[in-house]
């Protein structure tokens, strides 16, 4: 048993490439945390199907998501990187948690309210409604102490804490109570064409989204045509200069230079020069990740083997928790 605190997080395989916001907002942090934590990263395909997915695409996106995480530095030998549907304990515990979750409580989840309002009642499923209890099961099966997520997932982690506490007080101490870990500074990378909305895999237009698997020439072109204001002064001011401030954040994280030193270096030398340098930095970061991803994808059997081994490791922990849960609630043991 490792004495490091356990960490759990999940990523939906909802597109055929990650975007650089996922890298800056999630992967960079996960890479740092994987040394000091017993880290488990789950590709949550059962969550992805709470909105309609094409079956062929879903299978492909699941592999591609795994490959990109590995290529970007998540080490499947040091951390556990696995596919949710490979461990049946997830939906099994989710069902149990459904039976202790209030209908009103689940109805208050803002992600559900937003997504169901966008889709309309007719295409909103019971699966989407139960999304948060599946997420709670993900976390609680592993007795995770730390859950690094974006700000939008804070409410789901709160619900997870409530459910764990409720179960513990009704049936005896069973689950660790997890804590959300939300990174402030890089919590939001914005769309390059619409620098007031979050860069997202499901953005309406492609032009403002830099994909990890874009070809270097495409990446450079997107950076150079990013929307900026007219005054040509490279200065960090998210309120009145959202475009250039977003580019400064990206530069700063990827090059490991402070925003102040970038302002001093580029200040009044104009946007063109700054964007050209930034394009080089972005390409230098992602071209090797892209190449490594393509190499990993060229051998899907090996990738599947790594994911299977990791799923076995995950299942061992998850099944132990699930067995305790079944026992505590009084399900009859199979002879
Ligand atoms: P979708 O559009 O399918 O909801 P997404 O691109 O917004 O996807 P998720 O798969 O929901 O991303 O999130 C994966 C991780 O990446 C989360 O931890 C999330 O907080 C982080 N993340 C996503 N977009 C950004 C962004 N623009 N800036 C910073 N972090 C981000
Ligand atoms: N809902 C999360 C993905 C997710 C997750 C988890 C995150 C599913 N299960 C468990 C942390 C812990 C999202 O980012 N959309």
């Amino acid at each position: 048993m490792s004495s490091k605190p356990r960490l759990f997080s999940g990523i939906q395989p909802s597109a055929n490439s990650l975007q650089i916001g996922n890298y800056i907002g999630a992967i960079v942090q996960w890479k740092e945390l994987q040394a000091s934590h017993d880290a488990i990263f789950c590709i949550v395909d059962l969550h992805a199907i709470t909105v309609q997915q094409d079956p062929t695409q879903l299978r492909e996106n699941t592999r591609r998501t795994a490959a990109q995480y590995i290529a970007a530095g998540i080490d499947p030998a040091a951390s556990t990187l696995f596919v949710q549907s490979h461990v049946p304990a997830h939906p099994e515990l989710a069902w149990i948690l459904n039976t202790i979750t209030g209908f009103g409580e689940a109805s208050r989840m803002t992600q559900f309210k937003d997504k169901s309002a966008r889709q309309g009642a007719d295409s909103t499923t019971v699966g989407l409604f139960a999304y948060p209890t599946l997420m709670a099961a993900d976390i609680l099966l592993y007795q995770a102490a730390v859950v690094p997520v974006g700000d939008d997932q804070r409410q789901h982690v709160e619900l997870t804490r409530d459910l764990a506490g409720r179960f513990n007080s009704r049936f005896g101490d069973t689950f660790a109570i997890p804590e959300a870990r939300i990174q402030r500074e890089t919590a939001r990378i914005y769309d390059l064409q619409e620098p007031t909305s979050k860069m997202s895999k499901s953005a309406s237009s492609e032009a403002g989204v830099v994909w990890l698997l874009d070809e270097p020439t495409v990446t450079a072109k997107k950076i150079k045509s990013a929307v900026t204001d007219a005054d040509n002064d490279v200065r960090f001011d998210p309120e009145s200069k959202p475009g250039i401030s977003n580019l400064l954040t990206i530069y700063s994280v990827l090059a490991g230079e402070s925003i102040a030193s970038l302002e001093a270096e580029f200040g009044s030398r104009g946007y063109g020069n700054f964007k050209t340098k930034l394009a080089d930095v972005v390409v230098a970061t992602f071209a090797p990740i892209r190449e490594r991803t393509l190499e990993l994808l060229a051998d899907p059997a090996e990738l599947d083997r790594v994911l299977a081994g990791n799923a076995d490791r995950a299942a061992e922990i998850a099944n132990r928790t699930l067995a305790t849960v079944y026992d505590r609630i009084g399900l009859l043991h199979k002879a």
Side-chain angles (χ1 to χ4, degrees):
M1 256 296 274
S2 155
S3 56
K4 296 174 182 171
R6 169 128 336 122
L7 174 156
F8 188 100
S9 198
I11 332 113
Q12 299 197 63
S14 49
N16 70 0
S17 173
L18 297 173
Q19 40 92 5
I20 64 169
N22 299 132
Y23 180 84
I24 294 171
I27 301 182
V28 168
Q29 199 194 162
W30 294 4
K31 277 204 285 191
E32 281 167 20
L33 294 170
Q34 72 178 345
S36 52
H37 289 75
D38 175 6
I40 304 179
F41 301 113
C42 184
I43 300 161
V44 292
D45 52 352
L46 299 175
H47 278 110
I49 60 169
T50 58
V51 299
Q52 251 188 52
Q53 302 286 343
D54 171 79
T56 308
Q57 285 274 314
L58 176 64
R59 204 171 347 261
E60 182 59 18
N61 291 349
T62 302
R63 276 208 192 97
R64 289 172 82 91
T65 303
Q68 287 170 88
Y69 273 82
I70 296 170
I74 299 300
D75 176 1
S79 299
T80 304
L81 177 69
F82 76 104
V83 177
Q84 188 183 33
S85 63
H86 292 175
V87 181
H90 290 245
E92 290 177 315
L93 179 61
W95 176 257
I96 308 287
L97 296 176
N98 282 335
T99 68
I100 65 163
T101 305
F103 188 81
E105 194 175 29
S107 307
R108 283 193 292 276
M109 294 294 116
T110 55
Q111 177 181 291
F112 174 75
K113 288 196 280 188
D114 291 350
K115 281 198 184 174
S116 56
R118 249 182 285 145
Q119 295 175 352
D122 288 345
S123 46
T124 296
T125 64
V126 174
L128 186 68
F129 187 63
Y131 182 113
T133 47
L134 179 59
M135 177 163 161
D138 296 342
I139 297 166
L140 298 180
L141 278 173
Y142 300 92
Q143 312 289 352
V146 186
V147 183
V149 282
D151 201 35
D152 59 327
Q153 299 298 313
R154 185 194 294 275
Q155 196 187 27
H156 289 162
V157 180
E158 273 308 311
L159 176 72
T160 304
R161 292 165 58 86
D162 290 345
L163 295 177
R166 191 172 307 157
F167 190 99
N168 288 351
S169 64
R170 210 175 285 175
F171 301 107
D173 231 0
T174 308
F175 296 124
I177 311 285
E179 236 165 280
R181 189 177 196 282
I182 295 159
Q183 183 94 354
R184 291 254 142 264
E185 312 78 66
T186 56
R188 236 153 226 266
I189 298 302
Y190 294 92
D191 188 288
L192 299 188
Q193 289 301 318
E194 231 177 282
T196 47
S197 22
K198 189 184 96 120
M199 190 181 287
S200 152
K201 287 193 242 105
S202 45
S204 52
S205 146
E206 293 260 326
V209 181
V210 180
W211 301 101
L212 249 67
L213 301 184
D214 270 342
E215 293 197 21
T217 49
V218 175
T219 302
K221 191 156 170 248
K222 283 182 181 169
I223 301 278
K224 287 177 193 164
S225 35
V227 166
T228 38
D229 55 78
D231 84 4
N232 235 9
D233 193 12
V234 180
R235 186 163 46 81
F236 189 77
D237 181 351
E239 290 286 303
S240 53
K241 296 164 76 69
I244 202 73
S245 301
N246 186 39
L247 298 182
L248 276 164
T249 304
I250 296 171
Y251 200 131
S252 164
V253 175
L254 298 185
E257 287 178 46
S258 73
I259 287 184
S261 79
L262 293 173
E263 286 174 332
E265 184 181 346
F266 292 103
S268 50
R269 292 167 58 205
Y271 291 160
N273 172 52
F274 173 72
K275 285 181 178 174
T276 303
K277 290 275 172 51
L278 174 60
D280 291 346
V281 167
V282 174
V283 166
T285 306
F286 294 110
I289 295 179
R290 174 174 182 273
E291 273 166 37
R292 182 73 191 118
T293 302
L294 297 178
E295 271 170 32
L296 289 164
L297 289 171
D299 190 353
E302 171 60 15
L303 190 59
D304 290 358
R305 202 187 55 76
V306 170
L307 291 173
N310 276 250
D312 289 344
R313 222 156 64 206
E316 225 174 273
I317 306 169
N319 290 339
R320 237 180 290 139
T321 305
L322 188 68
T324 308
V325 168
Y326 274 26
D327 183 61
R328 296 259 155 95
I329 60 180
L331 302 182
L332 179 67
H333 290 278
K334 182 163 163 257

